[in-house]
Structures are given as C-alpha cells and as structure tokens.
Amino acid sequence: MSVPKTRWLTFLIFLFELPVVKSVTCPEPKKFGRAPPSECRQPMDPNLKPKTYLERWFTKEMFDEFFPKANQGWGLHECKPYSYESFILAARYFPEFGAGIRSGQPPYTARDLQRRDVAAFFAHVLAETGENDYRIYNSGISLKAADECFYRGGLYHYFEGGPKSKLFSTLRHGFAVKEAETCVEEGRYCASNPELDFWYPCDQPNIATKTNSTTYTGCYFGRGPLQLSWNYNYGQFQQYLHSENIDVDLLANPNLLITKMDPPLGFLSALWFYMSAQPPKPSMHDVMMGTWHSSEKNKRAECKGEDSEVPGGPGENRRIKAFRFFCEKLGVPVGLEHTLSCKGMIDGFDAIQQNLSWQPDWANMWKAEPCDCAPAPYPGTLPYFDPKLYREQAAKENDRNRLRCVFSIYRNPDIFRIDSKNSPCLNHTVKIRLSRYGPE
Ligand SMILES: *[C@@H]1O[C@H](CO)[C@@H](O)[C@H](O)[C@H]1NC(C)=O
Ligand SMILES: *[C@@H]1O[C@H](CO)[C@@H](O)[C@H](O)[C@H]1NC(C)=O
Ligand SMILES: *[C@@H]1O[C@H](CO)[C@@H](O)[C@H](O)[C@H]1NC(C)=O
C-alpha cells in the first residue's frame, strides 16, 4: 500500500503544530499582588504595525501552555504585562524574529530556525523571570513531571528580586507594582561617567524623611521578560522607542517598562535586547540564525556550562536546560552539544578586531572645519556597528550615533576635555536637529 508523499508531509506538520498537552499537575504557584481585573485596557500598538510571520505558526495556545505561572503566579492575562497579546504586538517591531527568513544554514531548515529563535528567547526569559520553585523536585512527582512544571515557570517575576525585592524602598510590602517606583541604593544600577551622564542621566534621588534612609526614583534594576537593567540600557531602549515615534521618558520613569501597555514595553524591551547587537556582542537573534561569523581562533571562554544535577544552578546552566525544554516542545533540534555552552565558543566576542564606538575624530579636531566623529576601537556610550559584522542596525544607527556624537561635542566639550584652543573645529558650528532625546 502506498501513501502519497504529500499526505504524509501534511500529517507530520500537523503533528508538530499540535499544542503541547499538559498531563501533569504542578504545585500551585504562590500568588502575589492583585488578581487580574475583569475589565481592563488591552495592550495596543500605536504604530499599528502589520502582522508578522511569527503569528502564522506561534499560537496563543502554545504561549499559554508555556507560561501558566506568568504575572507573579496569576497566570496569563491581557491586563497584566505578560500575555500572548503583548508578546505578539511587541514582536511586530521585529518581523525577523521567529521568521527564519534566511534559510540555508545547514543543518537547520527555515522551520527549525524559526522555532529555535523563539526557544532561545524563551530560555533566556525562563532564566531571568522563572518561578524557580526548587521544591517541585522534592514533591514526589517524577523527574520528567518536575521538569514539565519547572520549565513552565517563566514570566513569573516582574522585578529583580521578585515581588518582595529587597531593592524596593518600601519596608512593608503591599505587592503592588507601584512599589517598584522607588528603591534603595543597591537598586539604582546607575553607571556614571561624563559621557553617560550626558546621554543617560540617572533620575535624582529623593530624600525620604520617614524612613531616614535615602530613597531613589532612578531605579534601573531588572524589569520585564529579560530584566532590562542599568541606566544605559533603559536609555538606549528609550532612544530606540523614539526612533519608532514612541516618546517615553524611561530614565525618569523606569517603572513604565512594566506598566505601559501602549505599546507593551515589557516585551518590547526584551525583544529589543534580544534582537540588538551591543558591540562587540552580536545580537542573540543573529547567533541563533547563524548570521554571526566569529573568528577562526579557538579560545576557551570562562563558561560554567550545564550542570549534571537537576535542575542545577542559575545562569548558563538554566538557559541551556530551558533551551532543551523549549526545543523539544517545539519539535526542533537543540543542535550540536558543543554549541550550547559558551565553553565551546570558537572565540570570545572581543577577539574580533573591530571599531566599537563613535568618538571625536581626533585627526581633524585642529582643522578649520566643523568637528566630526569617527569609529574608534574602544567601547563608549554610542556604539559603532561595523557593517561587515552587524547587519540590521548598522546603517541607520551609525548615522544617528555619529550625529549624537557630534552634537555632544558641541553641547558639552568638557566630556572629551576639549576647548576651542586645543580644538579649533569648535569655532565652526554645525546644525543638528534636536529633540529632547537627542539629534534626529
Ligand atoms: C538618621 O540618619 C542620620 C544620618 O545617617 C543618623 O545620624 C541618624 O542617627 C539617623 N536617625 C535615626 C533616628 O535613625
Ligand atoms: C576603525 O575606524 C577607522 C576610522 O575611524 C578606520 O581607519 C579603521 O580602519 C577602522 N578599523 C577597523 C578594524 O575596521
Ligand atoms: C576660536 O575661538 C576662540 C574664541 O572663541 C579663539 O580664542 C581661538 O583663537 C579661535 N581659534 C581659531 C583657530 O580661530
């Protein structure tokens, strides 16, 4: 008896696309904060970006299966920061995500690439926001069942340190999202130098008299699905949003990362971080697509790799195990074992000779021409994306960052310790259009 080939193919694809069947009863997660309201404002996209390829294969049922403990234990809900709807709206800003358009990266098919991309993103999400309930492994259920519960614990946390974060300044926890608006010193995550202070100034502290301790409003601790942290990451994300016509003062109100739903900034920040290179680090997406070409030398990086015990520790181990989990659920190969840990990495990211940031063009500062900026081989606040190494951001972002750099020379030459005596280029002015987020 012969079955037509095409029918088999359809059948197989159908099998893979079936939502994952939950057969395990997991321990109830602890619930913090309020239950989702019955009526609320839905996440929306002011830019009305078109649907992406991701939506053709990645369904709400799949998302709900993967994240039953989202939103501090209450489960997925449109009114809460973490939901399928928010995820999909945010992904419309990055149509290449989960789309695997570049096939021809053997041994992976385009379908493999699409799913591996999403599996990698979720693996990081699990490591950053997982419930991490180790008791699951001692609750008497089988190891396989415990894994099913453990790796479905992602998107549980909003904030670094969880609902009872020690970084909050409030002493009595009401488990309200508002509490994350202020923090103690350790929660500031404020990096400072003249260039950073110019571009990404941290919000200034308030003095709280009642507690007799300093309470800060510029709190750039981890928030959202990938726990965006530090003023320079919040600031760069804010600049990215501006380039998409979304003006939000995240440096003054970093908690908007979790509360703003138009567009949903939590998922948008996470996808932005996943899709963006930060030289010399390529984007995680490019690594998954095989479009990052590392150099030939073989240097073993300092990486911990995967633990042999279950579930093992946080960090790289958690990400690798979670990646295996999501790849299995999505029916795609995890790939070669040695590529899972950075132990097997051919070369450190910093081993590739490249220019990393925009700096004053020192070769021209003495000339009777306006000051300019040029790529330089050391890191700085305004990244330079070598077009040979970074595909997407290079063109647009380099133009913007060069202008930003020139703007900062004229606005605040002290940053670079220059004046019109040592740098006569300052005597020749330039016109750069400005917004409060920097040059256009
Ligand atoms: C308040 O803080 C100041 C300065 O750190 C300290 O000298 C003072 O003892 C504190 N007062 C109380 C009541 O804790
Ligand atoms: C870095 O940029 C300078 C110009 O500022 C250029 O001359 C040099 O070739 C670049 N180096 C690399 C490794 O691309
Ligand atoms: C630039 O202007 C300053 C005064 O603003 C002056 O002292 C200096 O000589 C000028 N430099 C040149 C090269 O013209």
Side-chain angles (χ1 to χ4, degrees), residues 250-319:
L250 269 185
L251 285 165
N253 304 291
N255 219 35
L256 285 172
L257 197 98
I258 213 76
T259 57
K260 190 172 165 65
M261 300 287 270
D262 57 340
L265 291 192
F267 266 115
L268 196 48
S269 72
L271 283 164
W272 168 78
F273 194 72
Y274 179 84
M275 299 297 287
S276 302
Q278 294 186 319
K281 173 171 76 75
S283 75
M284 294 176 243
H285 168 77
D286 271 348
V287 172
M288 291 313 295
M289 292 299 104
T291 41
W292 167 254
H293 303 291
S294 58
S295 68
E296 297 302 320
K297 280 184 294 168
N298 197 342
K299 190 178 79 177
R300 283 181 95 79
E302 291 290 319
C303 302
K304 287 189 168 163
E306 190 175 0
D307 294 347
S308 52
E309 65 268 31
V310 169
E316 203 193 12
N317 162 69
R318 180 74 33 83
R319 291 170 213 269

Side-chain angles (χ1 to χ4, degrees), residues 114-124 322-323 326-327 330 332:
Q114 293 151 17
R115 283 145 182 85
R116 284 169 53 82
D117 203 11
V118 171
F121 178 71
F122 286 168
H124 290 297
F323 183 61
F326 290 115
C327 280
L330 293 170
V332 290

Side-chain angles (χ1 to χ4, degrees), residues 353-355 361 374-377 384 386 388:
Q353 280 230 332
Q354 58 183 298
N355 281 321
D361 186 356
Y384 170 74
D386 185 331
K388 290 194 297 293

Side-chain angles (χ1 to χ4, degrees), residues 90-253:
R92 289 182 186 172
Y93 283 76
F94 303 96
E96 294 198 348
F97 175 68
I101 330 174
R102 280 174 205 80
S103 52
Q105 295 290 335
Y108 304 117
T109 63
R111 182 183 177 280
D112 287 345
L113 290 176
Q114 293 151 17
R115 283 145 182 85
R116 284 169 53 82
D117 203 11
V118 171
F121 178 71
F122 286 168
H124 290 297
V125 166
L126 188 277
E128 297 289 344
T129 64
E131 180 198 21
N132 278 337
D133 185 357
Y134 294 99
R135 295 170 313 162
I136 292 172
Y137 285 89
N138 299 317
S139 65
I141 56 179
S142 73
L143 193 58
K144 178 96 185 116
D147 279 349
E148 293 288 326
C149 298
F150 192 81
Y151 293 106
R152 286 202 175 89
L155 294 177
Y156 184 86
H157 294 297
Y158 297 156
F159 308 111
E160 182 171 344
K164 299 185 201 177
S165 183
K166 291 191 169 67
L167 303 176
F168 300 166
S169 65
T170 18
L171 297 174
R172 273 198 283 150
H173 290 288
F175 306 120
V177 169
K178 206 174 163 49
E179 287 166 19
E181 284 175 3
T182 59
C183 64
V184 296
E185 176 82 35
E186 292 71 30
R188 293 200 76 203
Y189 285 61
C190 172
S192 168
N193 67 35
E195 224 187 327
L196 285 172
D197 297 347
F198 182 82
W199 288 111
Y200 311 126
C202 302
D203 203 47
Q204 292 306 304
N206 299 335
I207 307 298
T209 46
K210 269 186 200 159
T211 57
N212 195 26
S213 67
T214 310
T215 295
Y216 296 89
T217 51
C219 306
Y220 310 102
F221 53 71
R223 286 185 184 82
L226 285 191
Q227 297 282 288
L228 195 77
S229 12
W230 293 99
N231 53 322
Y232 48 84
N233 280 321
Y234 278 81
Q236 282 176 59
F237 177 54
Q238 170 173 319
Q239 282 179 338
Y240 161 76
L241 289 174
H242 177 66
S243 76
E244 292 282 4
N245 299 314
I246 301 160
D247 286 345
V248 188
D249 199 344
L250 269 185
L251 285 165
N253 304 291

Side-chain angles (χ1 to χ4, degrees), residues 366 368 420-421 423-428:
W366 54 272
S420 56
K421 289 211 178 61
S423 302
C425 70
L426 281 174
N427 289 9
H428 304 266

